[in-house]
Amino acid sequence: MKGLALTLVLALLLSPLISTGAQGTGAVWYDPMEEPRLPQLDVKSMTIGWNGSLMLTFEFYGAPSARNLSVVGNVYLDRLVKGEGVPMGDVKGADYRLVFSVDPNRTACSVERFNSLKGGWDLLAAVCWVKLDGNRIVLRTPNVTAVFPEGRFGVKAYMWMAERDDFDWVTYKLRNQGKAKIDGRLGDYSAPVILDAVGDADRPADYKELYAKDDFYNLYFAIVPVDGLGCDLRGYGARFERFFNIYVDSDQNTSDGPELWDGFLYRCNLSGRTWERLPTRAIYTMNPSLRRKGIAVGRVFESYVYLGPVRQQVVSHGRQFNLSAAVLTRYMDAIPDKGWLVYGEKRLSPSSFEVVGPETDIDMNGDLSGRFKSFGRATGLYRITLGGPAVNPSYNEPIEFVKRGDLFYGLRVGNVTYWSSYSHRDFAVVGIHRAGGGFYVTAAGVTRYGTRAALIWLSENMPLLKEGTYVLSWIDDGDGRVEISEIGVVAFEGS
Ligand SMILES: [Ca+2]
Ligand SMILES: [Ca+2]
Ligand SMILES: [Ca+2]
Ligand SMILES: [Ca+2]
């Protein structure tokens, strides 16, 4: 009886400690909404928790409809092993990688460690766990390392979220109607060959009709979307891809799979649109320029499939075959878009910083003053200075502000100039530097909107930032207000 009472007391004492402990060690990174039409595939935040093992929680802007959704993620961990890691690229320095997948039927997660001697990843015996929980994905690692040598570690995640829309199988009979003009329109076709339900996928991933015709050698086809084939991305690191697949079952036995498959990739990112054939045959592997021929993306996706490899079989089956198609819509979100997040025992907090700057910026951002230690004056060693070279003569970041006429209009990052558009789109430089026991932060937009974006971003994401220079983008959703969901990282320079 006494033992039980003691156990209960202990349990009561321990349980709040355990729950606040787990919550209290979490740090949240706010990621922008880069694909506004598919909020359910877009990562809104990543919460990092560490208590010997790592727990990452990815929250989405919308609740994913588990029906067609699949998620593949790669999480890279840095600074857990000294002096090793991936030698170059976006994940330079990474020591560990967690590779996971979630789809309606199963989940899987594995732990890999970078092997510097062979220059590749080794699969470890340890397993990690992942689950889809409402509009969140929760990932837990085993204790990948017993030590936490620097008292901090780097995290970076890439998430590929995909949704499928499948067409049914139909029987197609070769009719030798002649070539189609590949122009992204339906003019050449009469009636759809396959109809697919509207509403069986999220809107930008939903397709409704497949048209086809043939000249005996090639099957020309057009796939019709429910909601157009636009590219409306807001994030610099984001990528939106549509994979169009055509299946030809020439032995007319769908149970052993199609005898011929052709795949096409239509990719959008912030710098534009590209499309090409997937290299399903050697000729396309060897000749990339050939991959881009004979494809048009307009109101519909249009191309053709060469029937040569299966024509004999089709002819022997009364010139008929089974035809089907599927479209996979995939969105890639990098968290963060550039650089690493750094999770440490000691984290910077916006509330220890004093904000100074020109009166216009201080006035415009007065509503944010409560997030900082003081606003408009500074006496301490933790300081955020607002404004770029036009108002701050001591501006000394390695990113140049460029003028058009007398006014600053953009930022130059390497060979690229990012031009702002007043009250719609802006860019900002955030520099974080340690000096003499203090931290000095620059928050400088091309216009006052960029400066405000930098300050909002710092107030939300500062605990996971590290020393260096960040270039931010702000792309408004149309309401003229600067919001955290509109702010992304274009570039990062630092250690
Ligand atoms: Ca995102
Ligand atoms: Ca559909
Ligand atoms: Ca992102
Ligand atoms: Ca806005």
Side-chain angles (χ1 to χ4, degrees):
M1 189 63 198
K2 199 177 170 189
L4 180 65
L6 186 64
T7 310
L8 277 172
V9 168
L10 273 175
L12 285 171
L13 277 173
L14 285 172
S15 59
L17 283 178
I18 290 163
S19 61
T20 52
Q23 294 278 315
T25 55
V28 187
W29 168 265
Y30 293 93
D31 196 71
M33 188 181 199
E34 291 127 318
E35 173 39 270
R37 292 162 313 155
L38 270 176
Q40 52 277 76
L41 302 190
D42 198 328
V43 175
K44 178 183 183 180
S45 66
M46 177 169 78
T47 304
I48 306 170
W50 172 274
N51 57 1
S53 64
L54 175 71
M55 186 158 100
L56 294 176
T57 306
F58 299 93
E59 191 182 336
F60 296 89
Y61 278 97
S65 52
R67 201 176 29 165
N68 306 327
L69 177 87
S70 63
V71 180
V72 173
N74 286 354
V75 172
Y76 293 88
L77 302 173
D78 185 20
R79 294 168 189 262
L80 289 173
V81 180
K82 263 202 147 65
E84 285 188 30
V86 174
M88 62 181 86
D90 271 358
V91 294
K92 186 177 174 194
D95 310 308
Y96 287 91
R97 179 167 72 178
L98 311 173
V99 179
F100 64 89
S101 62
V102 179
D103 68 38
N105 304 316
R106 65 182 218 116
T107 64
C109 190
S110 59
V111 185
E112 298 174 342
R113 181 173 168 169
F114 193 76
N115 180 331
S116 295
L117 289 176
K118 76 169 194 195
W121 295 92
D122 288 335
L123 184 65
L124 302 187
V127 288
C128 40
W129 301 273
V130 63
K131 68 171 184 197
L132 182 64
D133 175 13
N135 65 338
R136 304 182 311 163
I137 283 181
V138 182
L139 174 71
R140 278 188 305 128
T141 65
N143 201 346
V144 285
T145 170
V147 287
F148 191 0
E150 297 183 25
R152 55 186 197 151
F153 61 92
V155 185
K156 184 168 178 71
Y158 295 90
M159 303 274 279
W160 289 265
M161 281 119 334
E163 229 188 292
R164 270 183 87 91
D165 197 2
D166 288 304
F167 286 74
D168 285 335
W169 288 101
V170 294
T171 304
Y172 183 90
K173 186 169 170 107
L174 287 177
R175 281 169 290 178
N176 197 1
Q177 301 139 300
K179 286 191 190 314
K181 184 179 174 201
I182 307 286
D183 57 2
R185 294 160 179 271
L186 284 178
D188 286 327
Y189 304 88
S190 46
V193 172
I194 316 179
L195 288 173
D196 189 65
V198 172
D200 59 346
D202 289 309
R203 212 162 164 80
D206 196 1
Y207 292 81
K208 60 180 182 181
E209 292 161 342
L210 180 131
Y211 288 78
K213 68 183 287 190
D214 69 88
D215 61 2
F216 194 66
Y217 296 96
N218 300 293
L219 178 77
Y220 301 90
F221 70 90
I223 296 180
V224 185
V226 169
D227 204 16
L229 292 169
C231 288
D232 182 21
L233 280 181
R234 285 206 219 118
Y236 280 78
R239 221 163 55 194
F240 188 70
E241 297 166 322
R242 298 160 169 108
F243 294 85
F244 295 89
N245 297 285
I246 298 288
Y247 305 103
V248 172
D249 175 53
S250 51
D251 68 357
Q252 297 200 281
N253 172 11
T254 50
S255 65
D256 65 359
E259 278 62 50
L260 183 70
W261 160 63
D262 240 342
F264 304 81
L265 167 58
Y266 166 39
R267 176 183 280 162
C268 305
N269 58 32
L270 212 61
S271 54
R273 321 190 292 162
T274 57
W275 46 78
E276 62 181 304
R277 242 168 235 272
L278 297 175
T280 51
R281 289 204 294 279
I283 184 169
Y284 298 127
T285 314
M286 281 143 60
N287 193 342
S289 69
L290 212 59
R291 294 215 291 266
R292 289 183 269 280
K293 293 217 167 80
I295 304 172
V297 182
R299 287 168 192 271
V300 301
F301 184 92
E302 189 181 17
S303 189
Y304 68 92
V305 176
Y306 174 56
L307 295 172
V310 296
R311 198 164 53 240
Q312 287 252 297
Q313 195 169 33
V314 170
V315 169
S316 74
H317 279 79
R319 296 192 161 203
Q320 293 191 96
F321 57 85
N322 293 327
L323 174 67
S324 171
V327 186
L328 187 83
T329 302
R330 188 168 76 169
Y331 169 65
M332 196 279 286
D333 203 347
I335 307 127
D337 299 308
K338 295 282 177 196
W340 290 87
L341 302 179
V342 172
Y343 182 90
E345 286 149 349
K346 281 179 266 162
R347 295 195 288 272
L348 290 176
S349 162
S351 62
S352 46
F353 278 82
E354 297 170 302
V355 181
V356 292
E359 214 169 303
T360 48
D361 286 325
I362 291 295
D363 288 349
M364 181 184 180
N365 297 299
D367 59 316
L368 304 172
S369 61
R371 304 183 185 191
F372 300 94
K373 186 177 175 189
S374 73
F375 214 71
R377 67 194 155 74
T379 53
L381 297 174
Y382 283 61
R383 193 174 292 190
I384 297 172
T385 304
L386 302 181
V391 293
N392 177 8
S394 61
Y395 176 83
N396 190 29
E397 300 297 334
I399 303 293
E400 185 192 350
F401 281 69
V402 290
K403 283 183 171 175
R404 190 181 268 171
D406 287 342
L407 288 172
F408 285 110
Y409 259 104
L411 290 178
R412 188 166 299 138
V413 182
N415 308 324
V416 184
T417 303
Y418 294 101
W419 297 107
S420 68
S421 162
Y422 193 76
S423 83
H424 298 298
R425 175 184 293 241
D426 204 359
F427 298 90
V429 176
V430 170
I432 300 177
H433 307 285
R434 193 203 295 258
F439 272 96
Y440 295 87
V441 178
T442 303
V446 177
T447 77
R448 62 181 64 182
Y449 287 90
T451 300
R452 180 168 171 80
L455 197 58
I456 289 174
W457 184 82
L458 278 167
S459 75
E460 301 278 9
N461 286 334
M462 189 180 257
L464 291 169
L465 301 179
K466 61 175 187 166
E467 284 171 85
T469 304
Y470 297 82
V471 177
L472 308 182
S473 64
W474 167 68
I475 302 175
D476 191 30
D477 59 358
D479 65 2
R481 293 190 305 127
V482 181
E483 291 151 282
I484 183 71
S485 60
E486 299 164 347
I487 305 165
V489 182
V490 177
F492 172 73
E493 288 181 23
S495 53

